Amino acid sequence: PLNVHFLRDAGAFQVGLGVALLLALVRADALLVALAAVGTASLFHLASHVIDIDRGGEPVRDLVSLSILAGVLLLAAAVRWREGAR
């Protein structure tokens, strides 16, 4: 059966893969690429859960944990980017 939330989640991780490919073209830093890609996918995954907040699950737990995960990963990617710019 059609599961719209699953399609959104799958799309979120496709965006992350795209970020990995594009960032790898400009930076040869595997850790930076991984942090940015997974952080971006996590951010889009969070957006998927916000959009589907009325479809079940544990909204408070899901939104808090996904926010923390995306924030930590993207902050780590930003720090790594700055270190590489030096």
Side-chain angles (χ1 to χ4, degrees), residues 7-86:
L7 292 175
R8 283 192 187 98
D9 282 352
F13 293 102
Q14 293 296 317
V15 171
L17 289 172
V19 167
L21 292 172
L22 292 173
L23 189 55
L25 290 172
V26 296
R27 297 294 288 266
D29 182 346
L31 180 57
L32 170 63
V33 170
L35 289 169
V38 177
T40 301
S42 296
L43 186 62
F44 277 81
H45 188 201
L46 171 63
S48 172
H49 279 259
V50 169
I51 291 166
D52 292 333
I53 199 162
D54 61 340
R55 291 188 182 261
E58 298 279 336
V60 173
R61 184 198 66 202
D62 294 346
L63 297 181
V64 170
S65 60
L66 290 171
S67 297
I68 291 169
L69 178 64
V72 167
L73 289 166
L74 291 173
L75 179 62
V79 168
R80 184 73 178 192
W81 180 279
R82 271 190 75 185
E83 286 177 355
R86 290 186 206 166

